[in-house]
Amino acid sequence: MTPYIFRRLLLIIPTLLGIMLTNFLVIQTAPGGPVEQAIAQLSGHSNAITERVTKTGSQETLNSTASPKKIESSSSTPYRGAQGLDPEFIKELETRFGFDKPLHDRFLSMLSNYLVFDFGKSFYRDTDVIDLVLEKLPVSISLGLWTTLIVYLISIPLGIRKAVADGNQFDMITSFVIIIGTAIPGFLFAVFMMVIFAGGSYLDWFPLRGLQSEEYLSITAFDCAMNLECVKDYFWHLALPIISMVIGGFAGLTMLTKNSFMDQIHQQYVLTARAKGLPEKRVLYGHVFRNAMLIVIAGFPSALVSILFTGSLLIEIIFSLDGLGLLGFEAAFSRDYPLMFGALFFFSLLGLIMNLIGDVMYMVIDPRIDFEGQS
């Protein structure tokens, strides 16, 4: 197993390089880059999200730039909305955003900085990218980790029970609930619960912002874990967001568990175990479980990454939770390239590592699987 893990770790390097190169070429050559965003903002035509970002962060980049000087003759420029502006002003913007260098130089410079974990500063927040990611990480980890654990704790027992009781009343009732959970998007259920339970029109039981109340914001994570009231306050804030995400995520995993179990229950080794007179629980959990749960349990790392970085965007917006999903969305909308590429590098690296962990879990759960022997 060790040589396989070592080869996979080495493979992460060219894979990550390919991901970064592809996205760099697409994003850097797409219209509406940071120079155009700055021109639009100075002209009073910036989009709402750029305005929000610049209000919450520092405007040092733009404030320190000289006011645009209009010229009578319109010079040719690759930037929309820049006709009539002084070319020197455009060059100054390009220098500040790094667009005065060729495309390949910008890419190599970015990679060299990433090798020493220098992800640069956000264009519009005047804060280091790594600091922004670390600042938003607790929200995304809280949502992703607890949602994934609860989804697995619900889906695996429910899927096993449905497989054993296939076709009876319990299976039909739970299938109806699963259909409802699949049909209603998680964000729509979040809006419904916000209206009912969070002071919308009826009850005011749950808060709508942040992970903690104001009196606990200055407490460290360790001290909060030792304080029962702080822990209760933490889960009180997370209750509605996590329920919304669980509703939208448990249906698919439940059906995957059921189908995996049903496929294994009809295998010859199960019939043989039953013919030997083994108790049904021992047959199910001693023989069937390991084979049926292979794809379910081994998929835990990738499911965590998916929920952690992509599945929580709308939930963060609805419940005013400032996490990585919302940060990445705002960075893409405002063309904040350092933040976009820094987040992409972090997410891609974590995703590749999680995929490796998933493969290792395959071999741990079922030692018969040997990826080294596949070659």
Side-chain angles (χ1 to χ4, degrees), residues 301-319:
S302 59
L304 175 60
V305 172
S306 176
I307 295 176
L308 192 64
F309 299 123
T310 59
S312 61
L313 171 59
L314 293 177
I315 301 299
E316 289 180 11
I317 295 175
I318 292 171
F319 291 104

Side-chain angles (χ1 to χ4, degrees), residues 137-152:
L137 198 57
V139 172
S140 295
I141 288 180
S142 296
L143 290 175
L145 183 61
W146 292 118
T147 299
T148 306
L149 288 176
I150 294 174
V151 164
Y152 268 74

Side-chain angles (χ1 to χ4, degrees), residues 7 371-375:
R7 288 198 301 270
F371 288 111
E372 296 183 55
Q374 297 296 322
S375 59

Side-chain angles (χ1 to χ4, degrees), residues 196-340:
I196 299 297
F197 299 109
S201 300
Y202 300 94
L203 304 173
D204 190 9
W205 289 354
F206 295 93
L208 274 179
R209 183 178 297 274
L211 293 180
Q212 291 177 312
S213 300
E214 291 185 5
E215 59 265 29
Y216 298 111
L217 291 178
S218 59
I219 299 179
T220 63
F222 178 79
D223 292 335
C224 183
M226 299 294 104
N227 187 329
L228 181 60
E229 293 300 322
C230 184
V231 172
K232 290 169 59 178
D233 180 77
Y234 170 74
F235 284 107
W236 180 50
H237 281 74
L238 281 177
L240 295 186
I242 288 179
I243 291 174
S244 303
M245 295 178 68
V246 168
I247 291 296
F250 87 101
L253 185 60
T254 299
M255 295 308 299
L256 176 62
T257 304
K258 177 189 175 182
N259 294 334
S260 297
F261 249 76
M262 290 187 63
D263 178 66
Q264 294 296 321
I265 284 176
H266 300 291
Q267 296 293 327
Q268 184 63 43
Y269 75 91
V270 177
L271 300 178
T272 303
R274 286 173 174 168
K276 291 180 178 180
L278 294 179
E280 187 67 15
K281 287 187 177 180
R282 184 174 177 183
V283 173
L284 290 176
Y285 297 101
H287 296 273
V288 178
F289 183 84
R290 186 180 69 177
N291 295 323
M293 288 297 98
L294 180 62
I295 189 172
V296 176
I297 298 177
F300 181 88
S302 59
L304 175 60
V305 172
S306 176
I307 295 176
L308 192 64
F309 299 123
T310 59
S312 61
L313 171 59
L314 293 177
I315 301 299
E316 289 180 11
I317 295 175
I318 292 171
F319 291 104
S320 300
L321 296 171
D322 197 5
L324 290 175
L326 185 58
L327 179 68
F329 176 73
E330 290 183 347
F333 227 83
S334 61
R335 300 299 196 274
D336 194 342
Y337 285 176
L339 189 53
M340 288 175 64

